[in-house]
């Protein structure tokens, strides 16, 4: 390891590599550093504390001795330090959250410098604000800025597309509902920054609404058939063995942003310097993706589990909008999350024992002509599933690093620049295959006719 401030360049820099998630991202990156056929030949890590970064590098390298990875000092509140990072790399991975507090200066620095940017944010307001503020400059400078390149929201984006592509004409989907189940042999413990982001999201919900009202409306995709009903507050999904309630996550808004961009660009976004063969593959991929109404629910095998989820939602919903309530929520996370979040995060054993399953229940019509006959109900159902390890510290780093490797190895196939959700950028690449090779699986569970 070494602490440097010279002007050598790196394939990527990880900002916030000493944080809870950042050190797992670093560990995942080291697996591919100088590996055969990997485009990753040099990395650096950056943050406020060289000492903590050095400790993170030692931890991430275990059981081996740390490789030579330069340590750079940078702070999200120090614009010159961010510009210095952008001058040293073509790709910045940002792991410093909550992103509403720390993310915007980093995106702005990358957009100005023409430096590509990926992050693990799951915060809709931050993502949409970055798109409003920095898209044009990033498109001009050649900075490709993609948020939500972790568990939020790549499994939802690729999972929804995977389900939608199983609908072979004349069949068409009408809705795809995702059901998330978190599982563990021990106890499930989440990242405090995720909990803090949720609390701040509730506190600032009105700002997100104001932002959306101030932006031009994007075209909505044409979806065959009527809009699905909202259904019961607690839904019993017998086919997948879960009771479920709606999850106010970023996934739905991110998927909708991708579908809106696809509506404007039916063949996807042209790459910087694509071959004719690559253009044909991209257009064929997007022609197989069919838009559908999309939502996300969180499920549990027991009614008690659903009541626990509902109680945590009520605590955050009621207290998150009041100053003193927010203080209570953030001061005592373990109490108000009923043990799901704590400031120290999960132990390594708790991380290793956890996993997720995300079921995608697609409902639609065996023939598109049926959908146009007034108020017809779907007569066909396709269930698919995405599965992987613990969401915050294992799945998220796997996804972020695979997105980075796609970007490094296939940059000419991706758009010149701009601020985008992950689906529209990585959908037509080999990201899904790469995730499957790294422990995140995509499966078709069933195709069946259902009674109207």
């Amino acid at each position: 390891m070494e602490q440097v401030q010279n002007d050598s360049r790196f394939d990527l820099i990880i900002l916030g590599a000493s944080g809870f998630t950042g050190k797992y991202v670093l560990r995942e990156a080291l697996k591919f550093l100088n590996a055969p056929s990997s485009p990753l030949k040099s990395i650096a890590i950056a943050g406020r504390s060289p000492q903590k970064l050095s400790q993170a590098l030692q931890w991430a390298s275990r059981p081996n001795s740390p490789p030579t990875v330069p340590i750079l000092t940078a702070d999200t509140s120090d614009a010159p330090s961010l510009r210095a990072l952008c001058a040293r790399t073509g790709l910045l991975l940002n792991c410093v959250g909550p992103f509403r507090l720390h993310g915007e200066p980093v995106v702005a620095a990358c957009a100005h410098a023409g430096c590509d940017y990926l992050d693990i944010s799951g915060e809709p307001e931050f993502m949409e604000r970055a798109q409003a503020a920095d898209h044009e400059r990033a498109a001009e400078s050649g900075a490709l800025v993609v948020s939500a390149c972790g568990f939020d929201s790549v499994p939802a984006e690729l999972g929804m597309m995977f389900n939608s592509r199983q609908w072979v004409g004349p069949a068409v989907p009408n809705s795809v509902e995702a059901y998330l189940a978190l599982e563990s042999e021990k106890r499930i413990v989440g990242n405090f920054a995720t909990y803090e982001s949720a609390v701040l999201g509730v506190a600032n919900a009105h700002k997100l609404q104001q932002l959306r009202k101030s932006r031009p409306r994007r075209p909505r995709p044409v979806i065959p058939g009527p809009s699905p009903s909202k259904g019961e507050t607690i839904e019993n999904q017998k086919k997948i063995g879960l009771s479920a309630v709606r999850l106010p996550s970023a996934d739905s808004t991110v998927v909708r942003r991708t579908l809106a961009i696809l509506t404007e660009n039916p063949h996807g976004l042209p790459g910087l310097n694509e071959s004719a063969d690559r253009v044909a593959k991209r257009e064929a991929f997007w022609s197989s993706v069919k838009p559908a109404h999309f939502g996300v629910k969180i499920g549990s095998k027991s009614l008690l589990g659903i009541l626990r989820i509902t109680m945590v939602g009520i605590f955050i919903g009621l207290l998150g909008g009041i100053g003193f309530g927010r203080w209570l929520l953030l001061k005592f996370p373990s109490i108000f999350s009923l043990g799901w979040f704590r400031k120290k995060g999960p132990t390594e054993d708790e991380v290793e024992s956890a996993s997720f399953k995300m079921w995608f229940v697609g409902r639609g019509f065996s023939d598109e002509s049926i959908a146009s006959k007034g108020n017809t109900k779907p007569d066909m159902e396709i269930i698919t599933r995405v599965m992987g390890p613990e969401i915050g510290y294992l799945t998220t780093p796997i996804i972020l690093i695979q997105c980075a490797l796609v970007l490094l190895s296939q940059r000419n196939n991706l758009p010149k620049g701009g601020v985008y959700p992950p689906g529209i950028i990585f959908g037509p690449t080999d990201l899904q295959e790469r995730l499957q090779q790294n422990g995140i699986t995509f499966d078709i569970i069933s195709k069946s006719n259902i009674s109207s």
Side-chain angles (χ1 to χ4, degrees), residues 375-388:
N375 206 18
T376 319
K377 289 186 178 177
D379 67 343
M380 188 174 168
E381 182 178 81
I382 297 179
I383 299 178
T384 55
R385 183 182 65 203
V386 179
M387 287 197 308

Side-chain angles (χ1 to χ4, degrees), residues 218-344:
R218 300 197 85 137
R220 293 189 177 184
V222 177
I223 300 170
S227 297
S229 63
K230 289 191 174 179
E232 302 293 323
T233 304
I234 299 178
E235 180 186 349
N236 187 14
Q237 256 292 345
K238 291 178 182 174
K239 287 189 181 177
I240 56 177
L242 294 175
S243 296
V245 292
R246 187 151 305 278
L247 179 66
S249 74
D251 289 345
S252 298
T253 61
V254 171
V255 167
R256 280 198 289 272
R257 282 175 61 210
T258 284
L259 291 177
I261 296 168
L262 186 58
T263 304
E264 294 174 312
N265 305 271
H267 300 302
L269 300 174
L272 186 62
N273 188 17
E274 290 175 292
S275 66
D277 179 55
R278 181 61 215 167
V279 171
K281 284 183 178 175
R282 168 172 55 81
E283 293 183 353
F285 174 83
W286 288 117
S287 70
S288 70
V289 173
K290 302 167 187 68
H293 300 283
F294 182 74
V296 183
K297 294 185 176 180
I298 186 165
S300 173
K301 291 175 182 174
S302 71
L303 194 58
L304 193 63
I306 285 296
L307 291 174
R308 187 180 174 196
I309 292 166
T310 305
M311 283 300 296
V312 173
I314 289 171
F315 284 146
I316 294 175
L318 287 178
L319 298 175
I322 311 161
F324 179 64
R326 283 194 298 282
W327 180 84
L328 285 173
L329 289 169
L330 297 175
K331 181 77 173 173
F332 306 106
S334 191
I335 293 172
F336 289 101
S337 72
L338 304 182
W340 268 330
F341 296 94
R342 55 175 184 247
K343 287 200 173 178
K344 289 184 178 178

Side-chain angles (χ1 to χ4, degrees), residues 54-328:
S54 177
Q55 290 168 352
L57 180 59
Q58 288 179 328
W59 177 89
S61 305
R62 294 181 315 182
N64 303 314
S65 57
T68 301
V69 173
I71 292 172
L72 311 175
T73 304
D75 190 322
T76 59
S77 63
D78 177 9
S81 74
L82 297 176
R83 287 196 294 272
L85 290 187
C86 294
R88 310 277 302 275
T89 187
L91 174 58
L92 189 70
L93 307 187
N94 187 10
C95 301
V96 182
F99 289 84
R100 73 165 56 253
L101 302 180
H102 307 292
E104 288 184 36
V106 188
V107 173
C110 288
H112 277 76
C115 175
D116 292 338
Y117 167 102
L118 303 176
D119 73 31
I120 52 174
S121 171
E123 302 168 44
E125 187 195 342
F126 161 72
M127 291 186 265
E128 293 177 38
R129 205 171 282 288
Q131 185 180 29
D134 297 302
H135 175 73
E136 288 183 14
R137 185 175 292 277
E140 195 177 298
S141 71
L144 189 55
V145 174
V146 190
S147 285
C149 295
F151 180 76
D152 289 317
S153 290
V154 169
E157 289 249 73
L158 294 190
M160 190 274 180
M161 289 179 204
F162 181 69
N163 187 288
S164 129
R165 296 180 70 212
Q166 309 311 315
W167 295 80
V168 180
V172 289
N174 169 261
S175 67
V176 177
E177 194 78 32
Y179 297 85
L180 171 63
L182 303 178
E183 300 178 355
S184 178
E185 293 160 15
K186 297 184 182 292
R187 56 185 292 188
I188 294 168
V189 179
N191 181 342
F192 176 73
T194 303
Y195 173 80
E196 185 180 11
S197 296
V199 172
L200 294 175
V202 169
N204 293 280
H206 63 289
K207 291 184 181 177
L208 178 57
Q209 296 307 320
Q210 288 170 357
L211 174 65
R212 287 175 175 166
K213 284 177 182 174
S214 71
R215 301 286 293 151
R217 286 190 72 116
R218 300 197 85 137
R220 293 189 177 184
V222 177
I223 300 170
S227 297
S229 63
K230 289 191 174 179
E232 302 293 323
T233 304
I234 299 178
E235 180 186 349
N236 187 14
Q237 256 292 345
K238 291 178 182 174
K239 287 189 181 177
I240 56 177
L242 294 175
S243 296
V245 292
R246 187 151 305 278
L247 179 66
S249 74
D251 289 345
S252 298
T253 61
V254 171
V255 167
R256 280 198 289 272
R257 282 175 61 210
T258 284
L259 291 177
I261 296 168
L262 186 58
T263 304
E264 294 174 312
N265 305 271
H267 300 302
L269 300 174
L272 186 62
N273 188 17
E274 290 175 292
S275 66
D277 179 55
R278 181 61 215 167
V279 171
K281 284 183 178 175
R282 168 172 55 81
E283 293 183 353
F285 174 83
W286 288 117
S287 70
S288 70
V289 173
K290 302 167 187 68
H293 300 283
F294 182 74
V296 183
K297 294 185 176 180
I298 186 165
S300 173
K301 291 175 182 174
S302 71
L303 194 58
L304 193 63
I306 285 296
L307 291 174
R308 187 180 174 196
I309 292 166
T310 305
M311 283 300 296
V312 173
I314 289 171
F315 284 146
I316 294 175
L318 287 178
L319 298 175
I322 311 161
F324 179 64
R326 283 194 298 282
W327 180 84
L328 285 173

